[in-house]
């Protein structure tokens, strides 16, 4: 069977439920992992997701800028709580679908100053990544595991509009690049989008609202990711290569999120 996994920082699920419904109708994801839902669990638009054909929900809600949720066509079982957020924010939710564990994360942005001592938000971000690395290493490369979400790190030279300029900006600083590579290596994760579209093609999933025309300026970052362990990758693709892409056309829809959805297909 095909298991189509999508990650999308929707930047308020209630504000953008119509865009979500349109995308779900067009692309038919089996599992939709959302970040920044910006609501508590009782406020989540459950009926709208039932109407979309995604009735199975795992929600970690919170007022303000956080909150994550995973919606599925298929029944969900709880996944392992990795305890990634030391601040107790609603930044993760874990499920199991068809034997695959899917960890959905909204990793902290980290503020503006890339210094752990001077900036507690940056220290929190690195602590979050370090906790994920430890948990992923314990799970190991043989686990049928996908980690996905808004990682708030653009890991590669071709995942940013300007590698040289962005090295000084939080989301692409050397310390973050080292931390995200440690996470990738911890369980030998395969970056499914990059496997589909290798370097040096530039790929972005986020563009600032400040650009009047995001395509014209194209100062984007690839912050949203779907990574699979080697065991799952081998099981799913058997040497065929991943089928994954960023749906950047959605960023041009009316009243969009500043993030575009990302999809990967697993052939289980």
């Amino acid at each position: 069977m095909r298991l189509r996994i999508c990650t999308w920082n929707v930047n308020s699920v209630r504000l953008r439920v119509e865009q979500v419904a349109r995308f779900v109708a067009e692309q038919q994801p089996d599992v939709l992992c959302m970040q920044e839902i910006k609501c508590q669990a009782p406020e989540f638009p459950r009926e709208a997701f039932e109407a979309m054909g995604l009735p199975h929900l795992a929600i970690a809600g919170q007022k303000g800028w956080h909150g994550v949720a995973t919606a599925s066509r298929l029944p969900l079982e709880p996944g392992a709580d990795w305890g990634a957020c030391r601040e107790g924010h609603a930044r993760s939710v874990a499920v199991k679908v068809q034997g695959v564990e899917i960890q959905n994360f909204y990793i902290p942005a980290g503020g503006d100053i890339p210094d752990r001592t001077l900036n507690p938000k940056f220290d929190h971000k690195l602590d979050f990544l370090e906790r994920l690395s430890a948990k992923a290493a314990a799970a190991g490369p043989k686990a049928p595991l996908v980690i996905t979400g808004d990682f708030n790190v653009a890991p590669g030279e071709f995942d940013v509009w300007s590698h040289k300029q962005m090295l000084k900006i939080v989301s692409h600083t050397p310390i973050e690049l080292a931390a995200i590579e440690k996470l990738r290596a911890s369980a030998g994760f395969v970056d499914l989008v990059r496997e589909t579209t290798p370097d040096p093609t530039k790929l972005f999933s986020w563009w600032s609202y400040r650009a009047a025309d995001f395509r014209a300026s194209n100062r984007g970052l690839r912050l949203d990711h779907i990574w699979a362990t080697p065991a799952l990758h081998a099981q799913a693709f058997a040497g065929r290569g991943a089928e994954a892409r960023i749906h950047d056309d959605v960023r041009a829809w009316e009243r969009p999120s500043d993030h575009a959805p990302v999809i990967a297909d697993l052939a289980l």
Side-chain angles (χ1 to χ4, degrees):
M1 65 169 288
R2 182 208 73 179
L3 184 67
R4 174 165 287 180
I5 299 170
C6 175
T7 183
W8 191 2
N9 180 322
V10 294
N11 193 11
S12 178
V13 68
R14 291 177 293 176
L15 183 63
R16 297 197 166 80
V17 70
E18 292 183 3
Q19 288 96 324
V20 175
R22 175 182 169 184
F23 181 77
V24 168
E26 291 180 2
Q27 300 300 327
Q28 296 294 307
D30 299 300
V31 182
L32 175 59
C33 300
M34 293 167 284
Q35 304 83 42
E36 272 198 281
I37 62 171
K38 295 184 178 179
C39 68
Q40 299 179 78
E43 302 164 332
F44 190 89
R46 292 174 179 269
E47 291 184 0
F49 279 82
E50 290 172 1
M52 292 177 212
L54 300 174
H56 304 284
L57 298 167
I59 304 166
Q62 182 177 344
K63 279 186 175 180
W65 303 102
H66 311 309
V68 292
T70 297
S72 175
R73 296 186 189 281
L74 303 164
L76 299 176
E77 298 176 30
D81 181 359
W82 283 12
C85 184
R86 73 182 186 194
E87 305 294 334
H89 300 160
R91 291 184 176 274
S92 65
V93 67
V95 300
K96 290 183 179 179
V97 184
Q98 296 292 303
V100 176
E101 182 161 342
I102 302 174
Q103 292 277 350
N104 173 11
F105 298 115
Y106 176 40
I107 294 175
D112 296 325
I113 302 170
D115 187 298
R116 297 190 79 155
T117 303
L118 298 177
N119 179 6
K121 291 182 178 180
F122 193 70
D123 182 66
H124 180 209
K125 181 177 192 174
L126 295 178
D127 181 78
F128 198 109
L129 287 166
E130 289 161 1
R131 291 177 183 225
L132 295 189
S133 296
K135 289 293 186 178
K142 295 182 179 180
L145 172 65
V146 169
I147 64 170
T148 188
D150 178 359
F151 291 2
N152 264 313
V153 180
E157 177 180 351
F158 303 102
D159 298 327
V160 293
W161 66 274
S162 171
H163 174 60
K164 182 177 180 180
Q165 294 185 61
M166 287 300 301
L167 283 172
K168 299 178 182 179
I169 306 297
V170 171
S171 72
H172 193 65
T173 62
I175 190 170
E176 291 169 281
L177 301 187
I180 201 76
E181 173 55 22
K182 182 178 179 181
L183 172 58
R184 191 208 60 76
S186 64
F189 288 111
V190 178
D191 181 340
L192 299 184
V193 170
R194 266 299 168 207
E195 177 156 311
T196 302
T197 308
D199 294 345
T201 301
K202 288 201 172 188
L203 293 174
F204 310 140
S205 65
W206 173 91
W207 296 261
S208 172
Y209 284 129
R210 283 175 282 194
D213 185 339
F214 82 97
R215 290 197 189 278
S217 60
N218 205 28
R219 292 193 171 196
L221 308 173
R222 190 169 72 97
L223 303 178
D224 306 273
H225 304 280
I226 304 176
W227 293 2
T229 51
L232 181 60
H233 176 263
Q235 174 190 349
F237 304 110
R240 293 188 296 108
E243 298 175 13
R245 61 166 293 197
I246 299 168
H247 288 263
D248 57 354
D249 57 306
V250 176
R251 180 62 175 79
W253 290 1
E254 186 177 353
R255 298 177 72 195
S257 169
D258 46 357
H259 293 255
V262 181
I263 274 181
D265 288 349
L266 307 183
L268 301 181

